[in-house]
Amino acid sequence: MKAKIIGTGSYLPKKILSNLDLERMVETSDEWIVSRTGMKERRIADDNEYPSTMGVEACKLAMMDAKVTPEEIDFIIVATLTPDYIFPSTACLIQESLGLKSAAAIDIQAACTGYLYALSIAKSFIESGVYNNILIVASEKLSSIVDYEDRSTCVLFGDGASAAVVSKNGPGLSVESVCLGADGEQAELLMLPGGGSRNPATQKTVNEKLHYIKMAGNEVFKHAVRRMEAASKQCLDQVQIKEEEVSWLVPHQANKRIIEAIAKRFTHLPSDKIFITVDRYGNTSASSIGIALDELMKTNTVKEGENLLLTAFGSGFTWGASLLKFTRNA
Ligand code: ACO
């Protein structure tokens, strides 16, 4: 028995931050942003929107899509690097808002690879028979940790949430395999230095801007391409599926150039089979793969038996890939 994604949902805040808006905030240009990242605009949460509230909206849509009730959810796993609070978990806040009375709840943190880590945990719990229905959620308010005076990072990130119901039974996307990896040696290349117990908030950490994302973009770029390619190939080997049998690539939406560099390494993937949202939403970290997967499924273009390859890379470093197969028949 393979775990299946039987419903998906996503939520994007209404407010749009365009490249032209950014031109008025820092020394940058639409031309630079589009040519270096492929991004045109991203969504920004309102002051009263949080990862929990955005996650709730994505979950409602995923549960409706899956036709499951709140009582049927056994476990909720939330992937986020921008939780509402350090504790209690965002998962508990969502559990309460949705009335998931019989669900256990936990947050996980694997940065942009969070969705795949959550999927892997859900797959294990379903296939071992511990739970029947698990809600995986990725929700990020990256605008709360972005320095809008730093042009090298502020153009990249956006807010949003995605969710999926992973179950034992039902039609949907069978989770054939998930491969995960990590390398803490490179931790300092992409991090939020302040706010944890090593550098708790003080006037000094605020003055030094330690509560904002710090990234060595160039270095991260190279690692991202290498790791996502390797994870994807490892994942295909594990299920003995050839490159040419992959119908769709749903990559983490960090940068269009990263996606193109990975696509080049897959000789059989035409560009119209690579699902892109980075132009509209920027990098929404853990949420990005789930948002893209939800939008792809809602286009109704995925056919019976088609294979979808998901891949992600993020701070840590962490990375992963997953192979999903679409089956209408349970
Ligand atoms: N507008 C104009 N110029 C800029 C901007 C900007 N917004 N940002 C940087 N520049 C300048 C730099 O100052 C530099 O100028 P210099 O040559 O005079 O020093 C020049 O542009 C080139 O800068 P690079 O950093 O070399 O530009 P690069 O082509 O590498 O693009 C980018 C930068 C977009 C950040 C890219 O490196 C990238 O996408 N990196 C990976 C991001 C990523 O994958 N993150 C992973 C997950 S995120 C997570 O886990 C939270």
Side-chain angles (χ1 to χ4, degrees), residues 28 32 36 112 151 190 217-218 220 254-255 257-258 283 314-315:
T28 190
W32 191 95
R36 297 296 179 111
C112 300
R151 68 176 184 175
L190 177 51
N218 238 312
V220 175
N255 184 322
R257 282 163 51 220
I258 293 179
N283 180 351
S315 162

Side-chain angles (χ1 to χ4, degrees), residues 94-322:
I94 297 177
Q95 188 254 12
E96 154 64 15
S97 295
L98 291 172
L100 310 179
K101 295 292 180 209
S102 46
I106 189 176
D107 279 8
I108 61 161
Q109 212 280 64
C112 300
T113 319
Y115 190 89
L116 294 183
Y117 269 74
L119 182 61
S120 175
I121 296 167
K123 177 177 166 64
S124 305
F125 272 110
I126 297 287
E127 292 177 5
S128 60
V130 175
Y131 292 131
N132 292 330
N133 295 300
I134 299 178
L135 204 41
I136 63 167
V137 192
S139 190
E140 302 283 17
K141 187 171 178 175
L142 294 165
S143 59
S144 67
I145 55 166
V146 164
D147 177 1
Y148 286 99
E149 291 180 349
D150 174 9
R151 68 176 184 175
S152 69
T153 53
C154 75
V155 302
L156 302 174
F157 299 100
D159 301 333
S162 56
V165 178
V166 184
S167 294
K168 202 167 114 181
N169 302 311
L173 295 159
S174 157
V175 186
E176 301 292 311
S177 147
V178 189
C179 296
L180 303 173
D183 178 7
E185 212 182 314
Q186 313 290 339
E188 80 291 350
L189 294 181
L190 177 51
M191 73 188 308
L192 185 76
S197 55
R198 198 179 284 212
N199 292 311
T202 60
Q203 191 58 54
K204 187 167 176 279
T205 63
V206 172
N207 292 346
E208 290 174 356
K209 295 193 163 195
L210 298 188
H211 300 277
Y212 292 130
I213 295 175
K214 309 287 175 203
M215 178 169 75
N218 238 312
E219 282 300 303
V220 175
F221 192 108
K222 288 180 232 157
H223 286 280
V225 174
R226 228 186 47 229
R227 294 300 192 183
M228 282 194 273
E229 180 196 2
S232 299
K233 293 190 170 162
Q234 182 193 354
C235 188
L236 294 183
D237 284 349
Q238 205 174 77
V239 285
Q240 297 187 325
I241 282 183
K242 297 195 196 79
E243 263 182 48
E244 52 269 39
E245 294 174 85
V246 174
S247 303
W248 299 93
L249 178 67
V250 184
H252 172 46
Q253 310 281 320
N255 184 322
K256 194 151 182 250
R257 282 163 51 220
I258 293 179
I259 296 172
E260 285 165 354
I262 297 165
K264 259 193 218 149
R265 289 156 165 84
F266 285 87
T267 42
H268 296 278
L269 262 182
S271 58
D272 62 341
K273 294 293 181 183
I274 302 164
F275 203 76
I276 305 277
T277 63
V278 72
D279 52 335
R280 290 167 291 141
Y281 309 139
N283 180 351
T284 55
S285 190
S287 314
S288 96
I289 282 197
I291 293 169
L293 181 64
D294 180 46
E295 290 203 354
L296 171 60
M297 295 314 292
K298 301 292 152 62
T299 62
N300 286 322
T301 47
V302 178
K303 296 189 195 74
E304 178 72 27
E306 282 192 332
N307 293 309
L308 285 67
L309 179 62
L310 278 47
T311 186
F313 176 86
S315 162
F317 290 139
T318 56
W319 58 84
S322 177

Side-chain angles (χ1 to χ4, degrees), residues 3-174:
K4 294 188 184 72
I5 295 176
I6 62 164
T8 59
S10 58
Y11 174 82
L12 278 311
K14 290 205 170 48
K15 189 170 152 197
I16 292 173
L17 181 68
S18 69
N19 290 352
L20 298 183
D21 295 327
L22 286 161
E23 281 184 3
R24 289 189 280 270
M25 295 160 67
V26 288
E27 202 185 322
T28 190
S29 65
D30 176 54
E31 191 279 326
W32 191 95
I33 303 171
V34 172
S35 64
R36 297 296 179 111
T37 71
M39 295 171 192
K40 294 181 182 135
E41 55 187 46
R42 61 293 290 145
R43 300 299 178 92
I44 303 294
D46 270 345
D47 290 347
N48 59 358
E49 280 184 309
Y50 315 105
S52 62
T53 59
M54 293 190 286
V56 162
E57 297 309 315
C59 287
K60 283 182 188 164
L61 294 169
M63 288 195 293
M64 205 191 305
D65 194 30
K67 300 181 183 66
V68 297
T69 62
E71 295 72 32
E72 290 174 291
I73 301 292
D74 303 310
F75 191 24
I76 172 167
I77 307 168
V78 176
T80 181
L81 53 73
T82 51
D84 287 36
Y85 309 108
I86 289 182
F87 71 89
S89 68
T90 302
C92 281
L93 304 180
I94 297 177
Q95 188 254 12
E96 154 64 15
S97 295
L98 291 172
L100 310 179
K101 295 292 180 209
S102 46
I106 189 176
D107 279 8
I108 61 161
Q109 212 280 64
C112 300
T113 319
Y115 190 89
L116 294 183
Y117 269 74
L119 182 61
S120 175
I121 296 167
K123 177 177 166 64
S124 305
F125 272 110
I126 297 287
E127 292 177 5
S128 60
V130 175
Y131 292 131
N132 292 330
N133 295 300
I134 299 178
L135 204 41
I136 63 167
V137 192
S139 190
E140 302 283 17
K141 187 171 178 175
L142 294 165
S143 59
S144 67
I145 55 166
V146 164
D147 177 1
Y148 286 99
E149 291 180 349
D150 174 9
R151 68 176 184 175
S152 69
T153 53
C154 75
V155 302
L156 302 174
F157 299 100
D159 301 333
S162 56
V165 178
V166 184
S167 294
K168 202 167 114 181
N169 302 311
L173 295 159
S174 157

